[in-house]
Amino acid sequence: IAWAELELAGDDAPAHVQEMVEVRRLLHERQVPSGDSQFGPELVGGFVLGRDPIDVHAQSLRPAAAMPALMRSRALTDPDDRMEMMNRLHAVAGFLLRLQMSSEGAALHRQPKRSAGGIRMACWDNRMPPAAQAMALLTLEELLSMEDAQSMFQEDDPELY
């Protein structure tokens, strides 16, 4: 919905600016913050799609994928809010990397070489459904399209594929 609204608007403000701002506000409200004792450090940056930690999983990447587009829109994000949005995008990138199957974790799969680097359903669920892979790729593409993307990912991370 966010991409459609922004694409239809072109260089103008989207027709439903207030609704889009409200969507972004709800996303911010549902994003797991750093230092949250209920959800723990492994879920920071994900979105709570229910009430409990078990409700933070790869489906969180669906709203996360639209966040860079919302940030790039001048009609939706004031320049003063860009730093907060970048911090939130950093958290999303971290959550995405924590969902990534490590080489050690892949050893538990039937074909470890094919599993390494895939996106797990959740930090505690090693299933890797195609939908999680697709949303991870879309989210990663959106994150990398940001002009500040180089600072989100460490180049020397041996688990980054």
Side-chain angles (χ1 to χ4, degrees):
I1 293 172
W3 291 308
E5 280 288 331
L6 294 170
E7 186 67 28
L8 286 172
D11 292 335
D12 301 326
H16 306 320
V17 172
Q18 292 298 60
E19 289 86 352
M20 297 300 292
V21 169
E22 179 64 14
V23 165
R24 187 182 63 204
R25 187 192 67 74
L26 289 171
L27 286 175
H28 290 182
E29 187 178 290
R30 303 298 289 178
Q31 191 173 21
V32 177
S34 179
D36 189 288
S37 61
Q38 179 185 1
F39 292 95
E42 66 276 356
L43 301 180
V44 169
F47 294 90
V48 183
L49 302 177
R51 294 185 181 157
D52 300 314
I54 199 165
D55 297 319
V56 183
H57 43 72
Q59 294 294 332
S60 292
L61 298 176
R62 289 178 185 252
M67 285 182 67
L70 294 175
M71 184 181 135
R72 284 191 301 265
S73 171
R74 289 191 169 101
L76 299 175
T77 304
D78 292 329
D80 297 340
D81 297 334
R82 281 184 61 85
M83 185 54 73
E84 180 193 354
M85 285 292 289
M86 280 306 295
N87 289 338
R88 290 179 179 280
L89 290 174
H90 279 267
V92 166
F95 179 67
L96 176 60
L97 290 176
R98 284 187 295 280
L99 288 177
Q100 185 182 36
M101 177 65 72
S102 68
S103 300
E104 292 82 21
L108 300 174
H109 284 254
R110 186 177 300 159
Q111 296 179 340
K113 288 182 180 179
R114 291 184 66 194
S115 299
I119 301 300
R120 300 176 291 166
M121 187 62 186
C123 294
W124 56 88
D125 186 346
N126 284 335
R127 293 177 298 156
M128 293 187 278
Q133 310 314 301
M135 288 314 302
L137 287 171
L138 184 58
T139 302
L140 183 61
E141 186 275 328
E142 285 291 319
L143 288 170
L144 291 175
S145 71
M146 302 292 298
E147 59 270 3
D148 300 326
Q150 288 73 28
S151 66
M152 283 189 203
F153 299 99
Q154 297 176 354
E155 291 180 24
D156 58 350
D157 187 345
E159 293 298 328
L160 186 59
Y161 292 89

mmCIF file of all heavy atoms in Angstrom, residues 97 100 117 140 153-161:
data_model
loop_
_atom_site.group_PDB
_atom_site.id
_atom_site.type_symbol
_atom_site.label_atom_id
_atom_site.label_comp_id
_atom_site.label_asym_id
_atom_site.label_seq_id
_atom_site.Cartn_x
_atom_site.Cartn_y
_atom_site.Cartn_z
ATOM 1 N N LEU A 97 19.463 -9.619 9.781
ATOM 2 C CA LEU A 97 20.679 -10.419 9.904
ATOM 3 C C LEU A 97 20.556 -11.501 10.973
ATOM 4 O O LEU A 97 21.141 -12.586 10.830
ATOM 5 C CB LEU A 97 21.879 -9.524 10.190
ATOM 6 C CG LEU A 97 22.315 -8.639 9.024
ATOM 7 C CD1 LEU A 97 23.446 -7.713 9.458
ATOM 8 C CD2 LEU A 97 22.732 -9.481 7.835
ATOM 9 N N GLN A 100 18.971 -14.532 9.601
ATOM 10 C CA GLN A 100 19.781 -15.264 8.632
ATOM 11 C C GLN A 100 20.379 -16.516 9.267
ATOM 12 O O GLN A 100 20.896 -16.486 10.376
ATOM 13 C CB GLN A 100 20.886 -14.363 8.101
ATOM 14 C CG GLN A 100 21.710 -14.991 7.012
ATOM 15 C CD GLN A 100 22.829 -14.073 6.564
ATOM 16 O OE1 GLN A 100 23.402 -13.352 7.365
ATOM 17 N NE2 GLN A 100 23.137 -14.116 5.286
ATOM 18 N N GLY A 117 22.806 -18.948 5.052
ATOM 19 C CA GLY A 117 22.460 -17.640 4.502
ATOM 20 C C GLY A 117 20.978 -17.439 4.275
ATOM 21 O O GLY A 117 20.546 -16.316 4.025
ATOM 22 N N LEU A 140 15.878 -6.174 2.026
ATOM 23 C CA LEU A 140 17.300 -5.886 1.823
ATOM 24 C C LEU A 140 17.495 -4.938 0.641
ATOM 25 O O LEU A 140 18.267 -3.981 0.720
ATOM 26 C CB LEU A 140 18.071 -7.177 1.609
ATOM 27 C CG LEU A 140 19.575 -7.035 1.443
ATOM 28 C CD1 LEU A 140 20.204 -6.406 2.679
ATOM 29 C CD2 LEU A 140 20.195 -8.396 1.168
ATOM 30 N N PHE A 153 25.468 -2.286 7.204
ATOM 31 C CA PHE A 153 25.994 -3.639 7.196
ATOM 32 C C PHE A 153 27.511 -3.588 7.303
ATOM 33 O O PHE A 153 28.165 -2.851 6.591
ATOM 34 C CB PHE A 153 25.594 -4.364 5.909
ATOM 35 C CG PHE A 153 24.110 -4.495 5.752
ATOM 36 C CD1 PHE A 153 23.409 -3.616 4.947
ATOM 37 C CD2 PHE A 153 23.413 -5.476 6.422
ATOM 38 C CE1 PHE A 153 22.045 -3.724 4.800
ATOM 39 C CE2 PHE A 153 22.049 -5.590 6.293
ATOM 40 C CZ PHE A 153 21.354 -4.712 5.477
ATOM 41 N N GLN A 154 28.044 -4.422 8.173
ATOM 42 C CA GLN A 154 29.493 -4.492 8.328
ATOM 43 C C GLN A 154 30.057 -5.364 7.217
ATOM 44 O O GLN A 154 29.634 -6.503 7.040
ATOM 45 C CB GLN A 154 29.849 -5.089 9.689
ATOM 46 C CG GLN A 154 29.384 -4.246 10.847
ATOM 47 C CD GLN A 154 29.665 -4.918 12.172
ATOM 48 O OE1 GLN A 154 30.098 -6.056 12.222
ATOM 49 N NE2 GLN A 154 29.416 -4.204 13.237
ATOM 50 N N GLU A 155 31.026 -4.846 6.491
ATOM 51 C CA GLU A 155 31.579 -5.583 5.361
ATOM 52 C C GLU A 155 32.364 -6.808 5.784
ATOM 53 O O GLU A 155 32.441 -7.783 5.043
ATOM 54 C CB GLU A 155 32.491 -4.661 4.546
ATOM 55 C CG GLU A 155 31.732 -3.574 3.820
ATOM 56 C CD GLU A 155 32.660 -2.684 3.025
ATOM 57 O OE1 GLU A 155 33.762 -3.125 2.667
ATOM 58 O OE2 GLU A 155 32.271 -1.540 2.780
ATOM 59 N N ASP A 156 32.962 -6.783 6.959
ATOM 60 C CA ASP A 156 33.818 -7.889 7.368
ATOM 61 C C ASP A 156 33.064 -8.986 8.134
ATOM 62 O O ASP A 156 33.671 -9.864 8.699
ATOM 63 C CB ASP A 156 34.979 -7.375 8.207
ATOM 64 C CG ASP A 156 34.510 -6.634 9.448
ATOM 65 O OD1 ASP A 156 33.312 -6.346 9.575
ATOM 66 O OD2 ASP A 156 35.375 -6.316 10.304
ATOM 67 N N ASP A 157 31.752 -8.963 8.132
ATOM 68 C CA ASP A 157 30.968 -9.966 8.832
ATOM 69 C C ASP A 157 31.060 -11.286 8.048
ATOM 70 O O ASP A 157 30.609 -11.366 6.909
ATOM 71 C CB ASP A 157 29.507 -9.527 8.937
ATOM 72 C CG ASP A 157 28.668 -10.445 9.800
ATOM 73 O OD1 ASP A 157 29.114 -11.568 10.091
ATOM 74 O OD2 ASP A 157 27.570 -10.039 10.188
ATOM 75 N N PRO A 158 31.651 -12.347 8.635
ATOM 76 C CA PRO A 158 31.839 -13.600 7.914
ATOM 77 C C PRO A 158 30.518 -14.308 7.603
ATOM 78 O O PRO A 158 30.468 -15.149 6.723
ATOM 79 C CB PRO A 158 32.707 -14.444 8.850
ATOM 80 C CG PRO A 158 32.433 -13.881 10.200
ATOM 81 C CD PRO A 158 32.160 -12.413 10.006
ATOM 82 N N GLU A 159 29.442 -13.986 8.313
ATOM 83 C CA GLU A 159 28.158 -14.639 8.077
ATOM 84 C C GLU A 159 27.290 -13.896 7.077
ATOM 85 O O GLU A 159 26.223 -14.354 6.720
ATOM 86 C CB GLU A 159 27.386 -14.780 9.400
ATOM 87 C CG GLU A 159 28.036 -15.744 10.369
ATOM 88 C CD GLU A 159 28.105 -17.169 9.832
ATOM 89 O OE1 GLU A 159 27.214 -17.580 9.082
ATOM 90 O OE2 GLU A 159 29.072 -17.861 10.160
ATOM 91 N N LEU A 160 27.734 -12.748 6.601
ATOM 92 C CA LEU A 160 26.969 -11.971 5.641
ATOM 93 C C LEU A 160 27.252 -12.505 4.244
ATOM 94 O O LEU A 160 28.366 -12.477 3.769
ATOM 95 C CB LEU A 160 27.345 -10.488 5.727
ATOM 96 C CG LEU A 160 26.540 -9.523 4.879
ATOM 97 C CD1 LEU A 160 25.069 -9.586 5.244
ATOM 98 C CD2 LEU A 160 27.062 -8.129 5.054
ATOM 99 N N TYR A 161 26.242 -13.036 3.589
ATOM 100 C CA TYR A 161 26.418 -13.665 2.276
ATOM 101 C C TYR A 161 26.092 -12.702 1.188
ATOM 102 O O TYR A 161 25.246 -11.915 1.237
ATOM 103 C CB TYR A 161 25.533 -14.900 2.151
ATOM 104 C CG TYR A 161 25.985 -16.005 3.073
ATOM 105 C CD1 TYR A 161 25.505 -16.092 4.361
ATOM 106 C CD2 TYR A 161 26.918 -16.914 2.638
ATOM 107 C CE1 TYR A 161 25.943 -17.091 5.206
ATOM 108 C CE2 TYR A 161 27.349 -17.915 3.479
ATOM 109 C CZ TYR A 161 26.860 -17.991 4.762
ATOM 110 O OH TYR A 161 27.290 -18.980 5.584
#
